[in-house]
Amino acid sequence: MIILGIDPGLQVCGYAVIKAELLRTVLLEAGVFRTDGKKDLGQRLNQLAEDVRQVLQKYKPGVAAVEELYSHYQHPRTAILMGHARGILLQQAVAMGAEVRSFSATRIKKALTGNGHAGKAQMQRAIQSTLALAKLPTPADVADAIAVALCCINDRRIK
C-alpha cells in the first residue's frame, strides 16, 4: 500500500510518500510544495493543485492522509486560506482515485509517540526511529506529512 501524507498549507505544504509493506515501511519521497505569496489566491491554489497532481500521478497512492485543520479563533483568515488549500488537495486526491483519510494533530502525535501533546523534536525522533532515517526529518512541514502517513498506516494495521 502506498500512502501520501499531507500537511496542508497554502504557502508551504508538506508531503510524504510512504510504502507500507508487510514487515517494513519505506519512505519513497518527501518534500514541500511552495507557492508564491505575491500571486493571487487562484494562481497559488492552481500551483498547489498541479504540484500535488504530479506526485499523485507518479506514485498512484491508494490513500491520501491529510492532517485536519486547526486554527486559533484569533486568526480566522489563516483558517480560511488553509481551508482553500486543503480543499484543493482533497479534490486532487479523490480525482486521482485515492481514498482520503483525515487525522487530528493530537491523534497523529499519539499514534507515533503515545503522547497526544508531543513536541516537534519528539515527533521527529519518533519518525527517524520508525523509518530508520540517518537524519531527523526537516523541515517541520515534511516531518508533519511523514507523521500523518505513518498514523494512517498504524490506523489501517489496527483495523
Side-chain angles (χ1 to χ4, degrees):
M1 168 71 61
I2 295 177
I3 296 177
L4 171 62
I6 301 173
D7 178 37
L10 182 58
Q11 185 75 25
V12 179
C13 175
Y15 75 93
V17 182
I18 293 183
K19 184 174 185 179
E21 298 175 339
L22 188 59
L23 298 175
R24 66 184 191 139
T25 303
V26 180
L27 178 64
L28 300 177
E29 181 179 328
V32 293
F33 305 129
R34 295 185 188 275
T35 63
D36 185 347
K38 296 176 183 159
K39 293 187 176 179
D40 70 33
L41 178 60
Q43 291 172 313
R44 294 172 74 190
L45 292 172
N46 189 58
Q47 182 62 56
L48 186 59
E50 288 178 20
D51 290 345
V52 76
R53 186 180 314 117
Q54 287 179 7
V55 171
L56 287 161
Q57 288 173 337
K58 180 177 180 180
Y59 291 102
K60 297 174 180 39
V63 178
V66 184
E67 186 172 339
E68 291 177 354
L69 292 184
Y70 173 78
S71 179
H72 295 284
Y73 293 111
Q74 300 95 333
H75 305 287
R77 178 171 161 68
T78 301
I80 291 168
L81 292 174
M82 291 282 288
H84 288 312
R86 191 170 188 276
I88 289 292
L89 296 163
L90 297 178
Q91 184 278 326
Q92 288 296 311
V94 170
M96 295 299 293
E99 172 191 354
V100 173
R101 304 281 311 275
S102 294
F103 298 94
S104 70
T106 303
R107 184 168 176 194
I108 294 164
K109 291 174 181 183
K110 187 167 180 118
L112 267 66
T113 68
N115 176 3
H117 301 289
K120 294 273 185 198
Q122 186 179 358
M123 290 294 293
Q124 288 172 304
R125 286 191 304 275
I127 292 164
Q128 181 183 27
S129 175
T130 300
L131 296 175
L133 301 176
K135 301 185 295 186
L136 290 176
T138 57
D141 306 286
V142 169
D144 290 348
I146 295 170
V148 176
L150 290 173
C151 176
C152 184
I153 290 167
N154 290 343
D155 189 65
R156 293 181 73 83
R157 286 182 176 155
I158 290 170
K159 291 182 177 179

